[in-house]
Amino acid sequence: MCLKSLKITNWIVFYFGLVGLFWQVECVDNKYDNYTLIKLYPNGIQQIEALKYLEVPEHEVEILKKSRSFNDSTDILVSPNDIPFVKQFIKDESLIYELKRNYGRMFESVERTPKRRILRGFSIYEYHSFSAIQEYIDNLAKRQSDLVKLQNLGTSYQGRRMKLVKISSDHSAQNPIIFVDAGIHAREWVAPAMALYLIHRLVNDPDARKELDGVDWYILPVVNPDGYEYTRTSRANRLWRKTRSKNSQFECFGVDGNRNYGFKWAVSGVSTNPCDKETYAGPKPFSEVETQMVRNIMMENSKRMKLYVSLHSYGQYLVYPWGYTGDFLPKEWKRLDTMARIVSDAVQKAGGQPFKVLSAGKWYAAAGGSDDFAFGAVGVPYSYTMELTNGFEFIYPERLLRVVLPQYYEGFRAFATQIKKEFCSKYIGHRCKNNSPEESETNS
Ligand code: 0X9
Ligand code: ZN
């Protein structure tokens, strides 16, 4: 047996009624097997500032999440070689910390094993392959063709067909649009799972008719399907974040999609090194076909789009523009903040954890995010990045999806209620009469 790790792929073969099950075993070298996850708890501004020292490129310290508040952790993955350096740093700065050794060995390979859906059906509380997600969406659009329409967006860098899911109780009503995307970061699996759950509830739950009256939902469940599938292929790649496009000059792959949007592109919090593991902003704004698709959805629907939410993980943050700077806020920050707190309260009321609500840039400044582009370039009045879950880092256990997804759904119901209140003050039957901001302002 392979000493390092085991990858098991099961194949089901149907042949003249004979069902055979083949197991393919191969060794997968996971570089994170011997890495240590360290959670650092800063006790004040000085320690938060000191943590920046860990970002120096000469060390193999991968920052998974940055801390903003004092009861929140900065989480880092440290190679065996760099443990002495980090230990010394922790000692010098008198930091409180927790650690998990052999982090890569903890990845649950079972969550990447293809599901035998033919036999068991599709569970909304499981992680699925991109093709299974597409199949689910296609079936939904066939079964509920009045409610669900699919718009072909083209193909990802590696040729995966991408479709925007449009859910509306009246596709001709020109309602205000709530646009939700997920999975721009490949490893953040809980985000596509949430987007899919949102689609499922809006379509299948009879009570969701309220959420559909007067607003249209546009949902793109996996913005970065190539990266997503890459994280599913082996334990070694489970923590991949970027797209999978090949750099023209170097033997390096991928761009951080959430640094690639063309608003204040690359002014802060990005890497200009194409071989950088995490935050390479790309050779130019919108270099990635996947971010171009999201941009086009926003631009083509700019008048009607009133809310944009980009689903990510993790940390239980709900952040709003600006993301490119923490030095100042947009003049509309109060209404962005108020809306976010209403959503956080709704999630908490449903038994979930409240969100940490603030501007993205005050958490940490990073330019080229989709939230800033929607707000600053397209003029979407409400724009957020929602960081789902806390604990378990990017490897959120599948068994807990049935607990958290319904809680977050309550947040989306609250979003819809607020959007309707502000942009849809009059109804004709199920139709929202006033869609344009000018009209809704005079009516509110
Ligand atoms: O850094 C990011 O792209 C997001 N966090 S994540 O851990 N999911 O990678 C936060 C983005 C917040 N928005 C902007 N900085 N514009
Ligand atoms: Zn993310």
Side-chain angles (χ1 to χ4, degrees), residues 188-308:
E188 300 170 7
W189 288 8
V190 68
M194 181 63 222
L196 214 60
Y197 181 77
L198 183 58
I199 294 171
H200 156 76
R201 282 289 294 269
L202 290 172
V203 175
N204 296 319
D205 178 356
D207 284 346
R209 289 296 169 271
K210 283 191 237 95
E211 276 65 66
L212 290 171
D213 286 350
V215 276
D216 292 353
W217 295 78
Y218 285 14
I219 302 171
L220 184 57
V222 191
V223 177
N224 174 14
D226 302 346
Y228 182 71
E229 279 307 304
Y230 191 60
T231 61
R232 295 177 55 83
T233 53
S234 78
R235 292 167 66 246
N237 306 319
R238 179 61 187 87
L239 291 184
W240 187 259
R241 166 183 168 96
K242 300 183 289 183
T243 60
R244 291 297 298 160
S245 57
K246 161 89 178 53
N247 187 270
S248 57
Q249 286 165 14
F250 303 91
E251 273 304 302
C252 289
F253 292 85
V255 165
D256 182 345
N258 216 30
R259 302 290 181 275
N260 191 238
Y261 283 78
F263 180 79
K264 303 276 175 193
W265 181 74
V267 303
S268 61
V270 304
S271 166
T272 50
N273 174 3
C275 302
D276 187 72
K277 285 179 291 287
E278 309 297 358
T279 57
Y280 175 47
K284 57 178 187 207
F286 293 116
S287 59
E288 304 307 281
V289 66
E290 296 84 2
T291 57
Q292 290 167 20
M293 288 182 201
V294 176
R295 173 197 64 190
N296 295 348
I297 297 166
M298 289 179 181
M299 306 280 265
E300 281 159 20
N301 299 285
S302 60
K303 282 229 166 70
R304 283 165 60 204
M305 199 170 283
K306 301 302 172 200
L307 167 66
Y308 168 65

Side-chain angles (χ1 to χ4, degrees), residues 9 74 89 122 174 195 208 307 355 357 361 366 409:
T9 315
T74 284
F89 174 78
F122 185 95
Q174 301 288 306
L307 167 66
F355 285 107
V357 172
Y409 180 72

Side-chain angles (χ1 to χ4, degrees), residues 69-250:
S69 46
F70 309 136
N71 52 6
D72 192 24
S73 60
T74 284
D75 300 347
I76 55 174
L77 264 179
V78 187
S79 68
N81 286 346
D82 276 304
I83 284 289
F85 153 72
V86 174
K87 269 192 171 163
Q88 191 56 48
F89 174 78
I90 289 174
K91 207 169 150 199
D92 294 347
E93 298 296 331
S94 315
L95 280 157
I96 295 171
Y97 69 98
E98 261 176 338
L99 54 82
K100 289 182 195 169
R101 286 184 219 282
N102 301 324
Y103 186 69
R105 291 198 195 135
M106 293 164 60
F107 297 174
E108 290 173 55
S109 58
V110 66
E111 282 163 18
R112 274 183 307 279
T113 308
K115 303 275 161 15
R116 288 183 289 283
R117 283 175 299 106
I118 306 161
L119 307 177
R120 295 195 303 108
F122 185 95
S123 168
I124 204 70
Y125 299 117
E126 286 177 357
Y127 296 119
H128 294 282
S129 67
F130 181 70
S131 65
I133 292 172
Q134 289 309 109
E135 196 183 306
Y136 174 77
I137 286 166
D138 287 342
N139 286 336
L140 215 57
K142 269 184 215 142
R143 281 205 327 263
Q144 309 257 35
S145 53
D146 49 335
L147 215 56
V148 184
K149 304 239 180 282
L150 302 181
Q151 182 187 329
N152 290 324
L153 300 173
T155 54
S156 68
Y157 181 82
Q158 290 178 340
R160 293 186 172 84
R161 261 196 286 263
M162 293 171 67
K163 292 173 191 176
L164 176 67
V165 182
K166 297 177 169 181
I167 308 171
S168 172
S169 53
D170 181 354
H171 286 274
S172 64
Q174 301 288 306
N175 286 323
I177 292 167
I178 294 177
F179 176 36
V180 180
D181 74 20
I184 183 68
H185 289 148
R187 62 195 176 186
E188 300 170 7
W189 288 8
V190 68
M194 181 63 222
L196 214 60
Y197 181 77
L198 183 58
I199 294 171
H200 156 76
R201 282 289 294 269
L202 290 172
V203 175
N204 296 319
D205 178 356
D207 284 346
R209 289 296 169 271
K210 283 191 237 95
E211 276 65 66
L212 290 171
D213 286 350
V215 276
D216 292 353
W217 295 78
Y218 285 14
I219 302 171
L220 184 57
V222 191
V223 177
N224 174 14
D226 302 346
Y228 182 71
E229 279 307 304
Y230 191 60
T231 61
R232 295 177 55 83
T233 53
S234 78
R235 292 167 66 246
N237 306 319
R238 179 61 187 87
L239 291 184
W240 187 259
R241 166 183 168 96
K242 300 183 289 183
T243 60
R244 291 297 298 160
S245 57
K246 161 89 178 53
N247 187 270
S248 57
Q249 286 165 14
F250 303 91

